[in-house]
Amino acid sequence: LDLLIRRTVTDRFYEVNRALDKIIAGDLTQGVNVRSNPKFLALSDGINTMVGGLKKNLTDSKRRVRRENELAKSIQKSLIPEPGPLFTQFPRLDAASSSVLAAHRGSDILETFVTCNGKPGFVMAEAIGDSVSACLSMMKFRAVLQPCSVSSPDPLAMMNRGLELFQGESVFRKQFISIFIGFFDLENRSEER
């Protein structure tokens, strides 16, 4: 009787458990094929259906992540100037940009402007977080920053005005954003930060 129970029940449970251990470890090529009685047949089919669903969800997730990364790259490219001179209207100022896009996390911007008193300025900022939301935060940051740069010749006043505008925006509350703003004083040949 013991031998009969072991062959029909116990060994089959071990076989199912070994297959489940491999599936849990990440081997989604593993299937369960215990068909010794209707209960094991139903269990095997249920597990195999679950594994098939996991494979489909994993494939769909990989496609979604790939699409999101492509979207983030296209947004990120619009936030960084093309390589080359940054201030063509100021021939005495030799400043250029170049960038390499990182995958998956965060976004950066480099924005140049001329203040109302004629000083060339620049902003470098970075948002850390999910790639698409970080890129969208940087787009929003650029939109908030542009009016500040034209209305204020003072870096500290410009930063304070930008921070006031950010405090009301919920999109920035879930991001870590670092900001660097600088102005060039071409007459005195210095840089202000």
Side-chain angles (χ1 to χ4, degrees):
L1 186 61
D2 179 54
L3 182 63
L4 180 63
I5 291 173
R6 195 168 358 122
R7 281 185 184 163
T8 58
V9 179
T10 309
D11 288 350
R12 301 302 168 242
F13 274 122
Y14 286 132
E15 191 176 335
V16 170
N17 279 335
R18 280 191 300 273
L20 281 173
D21 286 343
K22 290 177 183 176
I23 292 167
I24 290 168
D27 181 3
L28 297 182
T29 63
Q30 182 67 43
V32 179
N33 194 22
V34 178
R35 304 194 175 289
S36 58
N37 68 43
K39 301 286 185 194
F40 279 115
L41 177 65
L43 180 62
S44 294
D45 289 346
I47 291 170
N48 292 335
T49 300
M50 178 195 67
V51 169
L54 287 172
K55 283 184 200 177
K56 182 183 179 317
N57 287 342
L58 186 59
T59 301
D60 292 347
S61 292
K62 285 180 181 178
R63 278 191 204 118
R64 182 183 51 78
V65 166
R66 227 181 346 261
R67 282 192 306 266
E68 285 179 5
N69 285 338
E70 291 304 314
L71 175 61
K73 277 184 185 179
S74 67
I75 294 171
Q76 180 62 45
K77 283 182 181 179
S78 72
L79 295 171
I80 301 289
E82 290 293 322
L86 290 176
F87 298 98
T88 55
Q89 68 272 46
F90 297 98
R92 291 183 4 201
L93 182 56
D94 185 17
S97 72
S98 180
S99 70
V100 176
L101 298 176
H104 308 301
R105 306 299 285 171
S107 177
D108 307 310
I109 67 167
L110 173 60
E111 188 75 16
T112 61
F113 52 86
V114 179
T115 64
C116 59
N117 64 356
K119 287 184 179 181
F122 64 97
V123 175
M124 292 186 292
E126 173 186 35
I128 304 295
D130 175 61
S131 58
V132 173
S133 66
C135 287
L136 294 175
S137 293
M138 288 292 93
M139 293 287 283
K140 182 89 171 183
F141 175 78
R142 175 192 265 174
V144 167
L145 184 71
Q146 285 175 340
C148 298
S149 66
V150 183
S151 63
S152 175
D154 175 30
L156 187 56
M158 182 175 146
M159 179 67 84
N160 287 335
R161 177 69 180 125
L163 291 174
E164 286 173 20
L165 294 170
F166 299 149
Q167 287 174 350
E169 298 290 335
S170 62
V171 71
F172 297 116
R173 292 188 189 135
K174 295 181 182 178
Q175 302 285 330
F176 174 79
I177 299 177
S178 58
I179 306 165
F180 179 85
I181 298 177
F183 296 86
F184 293 101
D185 185 347
L186 297 178
E187 293 174 16
N188 296 322
R189 299 185 72 142
S190 65
E191 174 187 338
E192 300 174 29
R193 294 182 213 166

